């Protein structure tokens, strides 16, 4: 025995500790490798989404500021309203005076709020001087000319005309409607003035400067590492942050790449190398590539994309010119302006590799630490435990053998005692001997059965059908007599013909253990109620309820453990504490449950100095 079990604990615990030490590392690496890409994409998506949404917020803020200034100028200033809605000019002098007064009002009320070229186009008023059917007034500077008649058919203007609720429009005018140096790159803001029929009769045009969008993102350094595209609702590029006059490299339009003129310079402290800079995307048609078109609501950029796409995608990985790019976008639902941010994937992978290295490094440190703990535990903890375990196993083995050896001679003594009692009759002395032999036999059987249950052996044959009611009835008289000796009232409530797939010996064992316990722990004058009933779902419930001393709450959790004993009313522990453990094991074999509830109030003083004991309940539902 000793030889076989000599290293059983050390081997098992050592293997368990090694496995447990490897589990954290394996789980971390497994989960990390499996979900890292998704996690990283989500994190970068949220990060860059937040960045470009900040640009959108800045643009909205500035446009709201401009709209508020225009509302104040056109709708709240009485003199401006009087001038704008005056009847047609009677002479060129009158038109010049009108123009001068309107310019004065602009400089007084609006100039400080406008950054760029400002014009007013009046479709409901003809110009005598320009000999035009619409009156156009230019303010701030005259670098650009607007075709007022052609403006009526421009898509940006039509977006205002076809949507009466739209208060401003931001985008790019057609090249034939805005004439001037770099006019094709200038974003404009249209502010409509409507009549009572909601038709646009006048429109204010703000031609924004080239650095207008640069100011919206200049404080967000992260956006400098990629290319930020801003599109109007028709797919026209309002802004792209590369190439820019702020960059440290020059863009060769013919070669469509950056030229390294300042090899040793970096960009605003972002440490962007020449290679990084050359890998920036400058293709303004990037948003019309098939990979991006797939995640749009429909073709083109006429609808919100990415965030509100049918696929639910808000980012993609795009391969372009042998490089992979991380692409994320958002849409401004108010202005219908789209933002697309494209950054080389290796910037993200670099961060991922650093993070992975950190995870592996700390995981390795944890593993090394756990190995050291295992080594220490093996020498200081496991080996002493093993020695104690082997000693206990040997004692238990010899104890089981002793119980088995005692059982045989006790059977012989029992047989001869029964014969002797038949000859001479049952005297008080023989009754004491008989009761003690019964107790020893019961304890020996419980000890042997306890060992079988611990080893997982099946004690009974549950393939037979037993009448639970009849088995319980057969023991009624026996327990009524036993209870009467202690002046205990025993009440039965047994439903007839309750059948169950169970060994009758097993049922007898359950009944005996529960009712014996109830009688044992119920004081004289108490009451025991035994009830057998059927429940829904083909379940059977055996309930044994007594008015005994109850079980302390701290002892309830271990009541089904082997060798657990509760003191009887006389303060004595009777038996070896295996009855409920064996009962629990039998019920488990029957695929049932056993529960004990105990309401006990100990040493509680009531009126008149009397003590009160609350009922102690045992319930054994058994289901097959």
């Amino acid at each position: 025995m000793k030889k076989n079990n000599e290293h059983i604990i050390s081997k098992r615990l050592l293997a368990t500790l090694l496995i447990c030490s490897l589990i954290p590392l394996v789980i971390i690496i497994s989960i990390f490798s499996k979900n890292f890409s998704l996690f990283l994409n989500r994190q970068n998506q949220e990060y860059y989404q937040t960045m470009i949404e900040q640009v959108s917020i800045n643009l909205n803020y500035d446009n709201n500021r401009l709209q508020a200034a225009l509302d104040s100028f056109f709708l709240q200033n009485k003199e401006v309203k009087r001038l704008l809605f005056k009847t047609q000019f009677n002479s060129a002098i009158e038109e010049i005076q009108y123009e001068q007064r309107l310019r004065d009002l602009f400089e007084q009320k609006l100039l400080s709020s406008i950054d760029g070229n400002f014009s007013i186009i009046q479709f409901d008023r003809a110009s005598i001087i320009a000999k035009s059917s619409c009156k156009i007034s230019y303010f701030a500077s005259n670098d650009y000319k607007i075709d007022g008649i052609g403006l009526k058919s421009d898509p940006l203007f039509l977006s205002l005309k076809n949507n009466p609720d739209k208060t401003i429009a931001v985008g790019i005018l057609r090249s034939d409607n805005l004439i001037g140096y770099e006019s094709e790159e200038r974003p404009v803001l249209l502010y409509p003035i409507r009549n009572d029929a909601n038709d646009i009769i006048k429109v204010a045009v703000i031609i924004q400067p080239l650095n207008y969008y640069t100011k919206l993102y200049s404080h967000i350094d992260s956006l400098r590492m990629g290319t930020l595209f801003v599109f109007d609702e028709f797919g026209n590029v309002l802004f792209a942050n590369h190439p820019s006059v702020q960059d440290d490299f020059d863009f060769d339009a013919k070669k469509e790449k950056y030229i390294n003129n300042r090899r040793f310079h970096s960009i605003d402290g972002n440490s962007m190398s020449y290679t990084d800079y050359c890998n920036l995307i400058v293709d303004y048609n990037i948003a019309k590539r098939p990979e991006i078109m797939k995640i749009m609501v429909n073709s083109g950029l006429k609808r919100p994309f990415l965030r509100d796409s049918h696929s639910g995608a808000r980012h993609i990985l795009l391969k372009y010119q042998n490089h992979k790019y991380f692409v994320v976008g958002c849409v401004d639902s108010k202005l219908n302006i789209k933002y697309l941010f494209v950054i080389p994937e290796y910037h993200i992978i670099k961060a991922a590799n650093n993070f992975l290295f950190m995870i592996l490094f700390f995981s390795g440190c944890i593993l090394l630490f756990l190995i050291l703990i295992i080594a220490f535990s093996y020498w200081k903890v496991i080996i002493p435990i093993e020695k104690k375990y082997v000693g206990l196993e040997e004692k238990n083995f010899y104890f089981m053998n002793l119980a088995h050896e005692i059982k045989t001679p006790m059977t012989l003594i029992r047989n001869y005692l029964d014969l002797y009692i038949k000859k001479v009759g049952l005297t008080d002395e023989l009754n004491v001997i008989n009761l003690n032999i019964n107790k020893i036999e019961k304890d020996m059987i419980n000890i042997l059965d306890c060992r079988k249950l611990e080893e997982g052996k099946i004690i009974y044959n549950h393939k037979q059908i037993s009448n639970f009611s009849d088995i319980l009835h057969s023991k009624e008289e026996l327990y009524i007599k036993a209870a009467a000796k202690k002046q205990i009232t025993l009440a039965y409530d047994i439903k007839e013909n309750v059948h169950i797939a169970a060994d009758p010996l097993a049922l007898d064992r359950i009944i005996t253990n529960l009712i014996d316990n109830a009688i044992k722990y119920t004081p004289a004058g108490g009451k025991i109620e035994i009830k057998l009933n059927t429940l829904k779902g083909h379940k059977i419930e055996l309930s044994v309820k007594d008015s005994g001393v109850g079980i302390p709450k701290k002892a309830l959790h271990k009541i089904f453990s082997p060798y657990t004993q509760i003191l009887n009313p006389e303060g004595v522990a009777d038996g070896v504490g295996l009855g409920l453990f064996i009962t629990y094991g039998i019920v488990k074999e029957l695929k049932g449950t056993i529960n004990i509830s105990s309401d006990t109030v100990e040493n509680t003083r009531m009126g008149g100095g009397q003590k009160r004991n609350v009922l102690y309940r045992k319930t054994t539902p058994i289901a097959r």
Side-chain angles (χ1 to χ4, degrees), residues 26-42:
V26 172
I27 290 177
I28 290 172
I29 294 175
S30 175
I31 294 177
F32 182 80
S33 61
K34 184 177 181 180
N35 300 305
F36 181 71
S37 178
L38 178 63
F39 168 78
L40 187 64
N41 285 340
R42 186 181 297 114

Side-chain angles (χ1 to χ4, degrees), residues 206-243:
I206 299 176
I207 303 170
Q208 296 166 331
L210 283 173
N211 66 343
Y212 175 72
Y213 285 93
T214 304
K215 294 187 297 182
L216 300 177
Y217 86 97
S218 59
H219 63 291
I220 308 175
D221 292 335
S222 299
L223 295 183
R224 299 293 302 278
M225 301 302 290
T227 304
L228 173 64
F229 296 97
V230 182
F231 301 94
D232 67 11
E233 59 185 297
F234 306 106
N236 302 311
V237 179
L238 294 175
F239 170 77
N241 62 333
H242 298 297

Side-chain angles (χ1 to χ4, degrees), residues 3-249:
K3 185 176 181 181
N4 293 334
N5 292 315
E6 188 173 2
H7 300 292
I8 187 170
I9 294 182
S10 61
K11 289 179 180 178
R12 290 179 182 177
L13 287 180
L14 185 60
T16 301
L17 289 172
L18 283 172
I19 292 172
C20 291
S21 66
L22 290 172
I23 284 175
L25 183 62
V26 172
I27 290 177
I28 290 172
I29 294 175
S30 175
I31 294 177
F32 182 80
S33 61
K34 184 177 181 180
N35 300 305
F36 181 71
S37 178
L38 178 63
F39 168 78
L40 187 64
N41 285 340
R42 186 181 297 114
Q43 293 300 311
N44 280 282
Q45 169 195 311
E46 294 299 329
Y47 175 73
Y48 290 111
Q49 192 83 35
T50 302
M51 295 297 100
I52 60 177
E53 284 178 356
Q54 184 60 53
V55 177
S56 174
I57 291 170
N58 293 345
L59 178 60
N60 263 299
Y61 174 81
D62 196 63
N63 284 329
N64 289 337
R65 178 187 61 80
L66 284 174
Q67 184 175 349
L70 292 170
D71 287 343
S72 176
F73 183 72
F74 287 110
L75 304 179
Q76 300 172 15
N77 190 297
K78 293 181 180 180
E79 188 172 359
V80 172
K81 290 178 68 175
R82 182 180 60 80
L83 286 171
L84 287 176
F85 292 96
K86 186 180 178 182
T87 57
Q88 295 293 339
F89 304 118
N90 296 317
S91 66
I93 294 175
E94 185 177 330
E95 182 177 349
I96 292 172
Q97 292 174 342
Y98 164 87
E99 192 79 18
Q100 183 59 49
R101 182 55 188 157
L102 197 58
R103 181 178 295 276
D104 292 341
L105 290 170
F106 167 77
E107 292 176 352
Q108 294 172 14
K109 306 292 185 180
L110 196 59
L111 179 61
S112 61
S113 302
I114 300 297
D115 185 10
N117 298 86
F118 181 71
S119 306
I120 300 176
I121 302 174
Q122 304 182 59
F123 301 115
D124 60 340
R125 174 174 289 174
S127 172
I128 296 175
I129 298 174
K131 297 180 180 180
S132 172
S133 59
C134 68
K135 169 64 179 171
I136 303 177
S137 302
Y138 296 100
F139 303 92
S141 67
N142 295 323
D143 295 338
Y144 300 94
K145 297 296 180 182
I146 299 172
D147 182 355
I149 303 301
L151 183 64
K152 288 186 174 182
S153 61
D154 193 279
L156 191 62
F157 178 84
L158 292 176
S159 70
L160 284 171
K161 181 180 178 181
N162 298 331
N163 187 358
D165 295 328
K166 200 171 184 178
T167 54
I168 59 172
V170 177
I172 299 289
L173 294 177
R174 286 196 316 231
S175 57
D176 54 344
N177 291 330
L178 180 63
I179 304 166
Y181 176 67
E182 293 182 335
S183 61
E184 69 281 359
E185 299 179 5
R186 293 299 178 98
V188 301
L189 183 147
L190 301 184
Y191 176 87
I193 301 173
R194 304 176 188 270
N195 60 15
D196 294 337
N198 225 1
D199 296 324
I200 299 175
I201 56 175
K202 307 175 192 294
V203 62
V205 181
I206 299 176
I207 303 170
Q208 296 166 331
L210 283 173
N211 66 343
Y212 175 72
Y213 285 93
T214 304
K215 294 187 297 182
L216 300 177
Y217 86 97
S218 59
H219 63 291
I220 308 175
D221 292 335
S222 299
L223 295 183
R224 299 293 302 278
M225 301 302 290
T227 304
L228 173 64
F229 296 97
V230 182
F231 301 94
D232 67 11
E233 59 185 297
F234 306 106
N236 302 311
V237 179
L238 294 175
F239 170 77
N241 62 333
H242 298 297
S244 167
V245 294
Q246 297 183 8
D247 297 337
D248 287 343
F249 298 91

